[in-house]
Amino acid sequence: MPIDIDKGFMELVQLHEREWGTELYPDRPSLIDLLNAPIVAVWVGEPTRLAATSARSKPYVPSSSTPQSRIMLSVHQRLEELDPLVLSLVVAGKNTLMPNRKLLYLFIQQKPVKILGVRLLLEPIT
């Protein structure tokens, strides 16, 4: 599912809300959180199963009829919060809170930005 980044942040949030409706995925932000967060990351991939937390919300349960490429959003207060998430995408076998997800876009103050590089830190094995 190609997403037109030129449409902007609000269209992306609207698309997210339409696609997910009342279904939940782990750490799904509320609409208020999305609009107020300084940093919003856009992911695609398979969310993990989550139990319903209220009577009006239903958990995400993958099925063959469910599109697998719906976007998922996460909100962050500081860029440093993304470090372990991006690290787990780069380092194979690294445990992660967001398995099977790919980072598509990053918005800071509702403006799109791109990642120019990742710093690699090494430590000798003793």
Side-chain angles (χ1 to χ4, degrees):
M1 165 192 58
I3 299 169
D4 187 1
I5 192 73
D6 295 328
K7 287 186 177 181
F9 179 77
M10 291 306 294
E11 287 82 0
L12 196 74
V13 169
Q14 289 172 348
L15 174 66
H16 175 263
E17 293 300 304
R18 280 194 306 270
E19 286 186 343
W20 284 98
T22 59
E23 287 181 87
L24 297 178
Y25 56 81
D27 300 320
R28 178 182 171 182
S30 69
L31 180 58
I32 301 279
D33 292 338
L34 290 170
L35 297 177
N36 292 327
I39 302 167
V40 176
V42 181
W43 309 85
V44 69
E46 184 61 36
T48 55
R49 186 181 173 131
L50 182 70
T53 57
S54 72
R56 70 178 193 87
S57 62
K58 54 186 177 179
Y60 172 71
V61 179
S63 72
S64 59
S65 64
T66 304
Q68 300 299 314
S69 59
R70 289 190 285 184
I71 60 170
M72 293 164 278
L73 305 179
S74 62
V75 297
H76 308 277
Q77 299 301 312
R78 301 173 328 139
L79 280 174
E80 291 79 12
E81 294 175 22
L82 290 169
D83 285 346
L85 301 174
V86 174
L87 175 65
S88 68
L89 295 174
V90 175
V91 179
K94 180 78 173 168
N95 289 336
T96 178
L97 298 172
M98 303 172 115
N100 303 320
R101 291 193 190 181
K102 177 183 174 187
L103 181 63
L104 290 180
Y105 306 112
L106 195 57
F107 289 87
I108 297 179
Q109 301 301 331
Q110 300 185 3
K111 304 283 189 242
V113 297
K114 65 179 180 178
I115 297 173
L116 295 178
V118 178
R119 184 173 165 209
L120 185 62
L121 302 174
L122 304 173
E123 177 178 291
I125 299 174
T126 56

